Amino acid sequence: MPVGFSQALRLTRETVKGTYDTTQHGTANELWLRLESDNAFGVRRTQGVTPIRGAGGLNRRELALNPTFAVAGPLSCHVYPTQAATLIGWLLTLSGGDLTTFTADFFDGTRALSYLGCMFGATTLTASRQSQGLRMQAQVLGMKTAAPNANFAYPPAITAFPAENPYLFAELFGGVTWGTSRANFKTWSLSVGNKVVGGNNEQAGITSVSFAGRDVDMSCVLEYASTADRLSYETSPQAALAAAAVFTKASPMHALTFNMEATTFILSLSDELPIGDLIYQGVQIGSFYDRTAGTDITFTAT
């Protein structure tokens, strides 16, 4: 009887959208993701069904047309230092104005299937005092499905997965800035609103996926000990700031840096004012296109 732990997920970079690139197997562009939660990989092929009603059936459904399909769904995982450069690169790095696509080979405990031409859409990276580890929750849009590559087999070797801990919330200490260094916050998140579009033409599925813009926001909920952010937010015009977040792992030594360039603005403020506890302020920072840098956000992973 199948059980939930008999699952496996491998992501592999594609050189041509929607086409296996077997040359990437065994390289840094092949990632075995550790499936750590229920329904961690929810990408599926969904078939569109259009009913035809008729008077002959007394206005009931008589026929079903289902020639078209879509490939999409969520992905949830921790971000591990040895996988961060590849994983975050597929999320953020533009080449020729487009994002990288990848193939997702997935064994769900009963069936193995490949999802080709996948691209990261709206994604949130979060870390907090409560959850500790840096998590990535992404929406994935794909092009088509196929039988998995011959070298995809369950179970993968345990050595295929990262041996180190994921990045931790505490490793943001001293690493968050907008205008000045920030401390004493209980949550942090980076929202990457990649707009990914697919060409729905005469074929059954989409013929290609493409990047079509994004918004990038960083948010923190920090102790409300200063009025500086509210004064900045309520000043018109608001002064542009530089913002960044750096996770620094001491052992083994790794660092993950997000640089939101020099044109960020406070988009919203919210107050948490309990009577019998610490008071906090939620701050959302929006990254705007920096003409000098030629981008909205960059990252490094070492």
Side-chain angles (χ1 to χ4, degrees):
M1 190 172 185
V3 291
F5 61 73
S6 57
Q7 301 175 50
L9 174 63
R10 178 183 67 179
L11 309 184
T12 308
R13 181 185 183 275
E14 297 174 348
T15 302
V16 178
K17 291 181 181 180
T19 302
Y20 265 117
D21 188 349
T22 57
T23 65
Q24 302 299 324
H25 293 161
T27 73
N29 287 318
E30 178 189 57
L31 303 179
W32 288 90
L33 295 191
R34 182 175 281 121
L35 301 174
E36 308 156 333
S37 60
D38 296 345
N39 303 305
F41 185 71
V43 175
R44 297 292 186 276
R45 171 171 164 158
T46 57
Q47 208 76 25
V49 178
T50 302
I52 294 179
R53 295 176 179 271
L58 302 178
N59 193 28
R60 289 174 289 191
R61 292 176 293 189
E62 296 185 52
L63 298 174
L65 304 180
N66 66 333
T68 61
F69 65 88
V71 176
L75 167 66
S76 177
C77 64
H78 275 109
V79 178
Y80 292 86
T82 53
Q83 295 182 333
T86 299
L87 193 63
I88 305 301
W90 294 347
L91 171 67
L92 290 179
T93 303
L94 295 172
S95 177
D98 210 355
L99 293 169
T100 295
T101 60
F102 56 89
T103 297
D105 293 305
F106 180 54
F107 177 62
D108 64 8
T110 300
R111 180 180 72 163
L113 200 65
S114 292
Y115 302 87
L116 288 86
C118 293
M119 187 176 285
F120 285 130
T123 299
T124 303
L125 301 169
T126 59
S128 70
R129 190 69 179 177
Q130 183 176 11
S131 62
Q132 292 298 321
L134 174 61
R135 293 196 66 86
M136 176 176 177
Q137 295 178 300
Q139 290 296 318
V140 178
L141 179 67
M143 291 173 56
K144 56 188 175 182
T145 58
N149 186 265
N151 73 352
F152 176 69
Y154 175 81
I158 192 64
T159 54
F161 301 101
E164 77 283 3
N165 287 330
Y167 281 109
L168 301 175
F169 180 58
E171 291 163 352
L172 266 178
F173 177 71
V176 175
T177 60
W178 61 86
T180 60
S181 179
R182 303 305 174 116
N184 299 324
F185 49 92
K186 63 179 180 179
T187 66
W188 173 91
S189 68
L190 183 74
S191 172
V192 181
N194 286 339
K195 182 179 181 181
V196 177
V197 295
N200 292 289
N201 299 314
E202 77 283 2
Q203 298 186 39
I206 62 175
T207 54
S208 185
V209 292
S210 299
F211 173 81
R214 69 181 173 208
D215 291 333
V216 179
D217 298 336
M218 182 171 71
S219 299
C220 276
V221 177
L222 67 161
E223 288 186 14
Y224 183 16
S226 169
T227 61
D229 286 329
R230 185 161 292 282
L231 290 174
S232 176
Y233 176 61
E234 293 176 354
T235 298
S236 181
Q238 187 181 149
L241 305 172
V246 183
F247 289 83
T248 303
K249 186 175 287 294
S251 181
M253 187 174 292
H254 291 284
L256 176 60
T257 301
F258 298 98
N259 181 6
M260 296 176 70
E261 307 302 339
T263 54
T264 63
F265 299 91
I266 298 176
L267 300 182
S268 66
L269 285 174
S270 60
D271 297 329
E272 297 180 11
L273 306 175
I275 294 176
D277 206 341
L278 294 175
I279 60 175
Y280 284 87
Q281 191 168 68
V283 184
Q284 180 186 8
I285 308 297
S287 179
F288 286 65
Y289 185 78
D290 187 319
R291 295 184 181 184
T292 301
T295 189
D296 52 350
I297 186 170
T298 59
F299 88 100
T300 57
T302 59

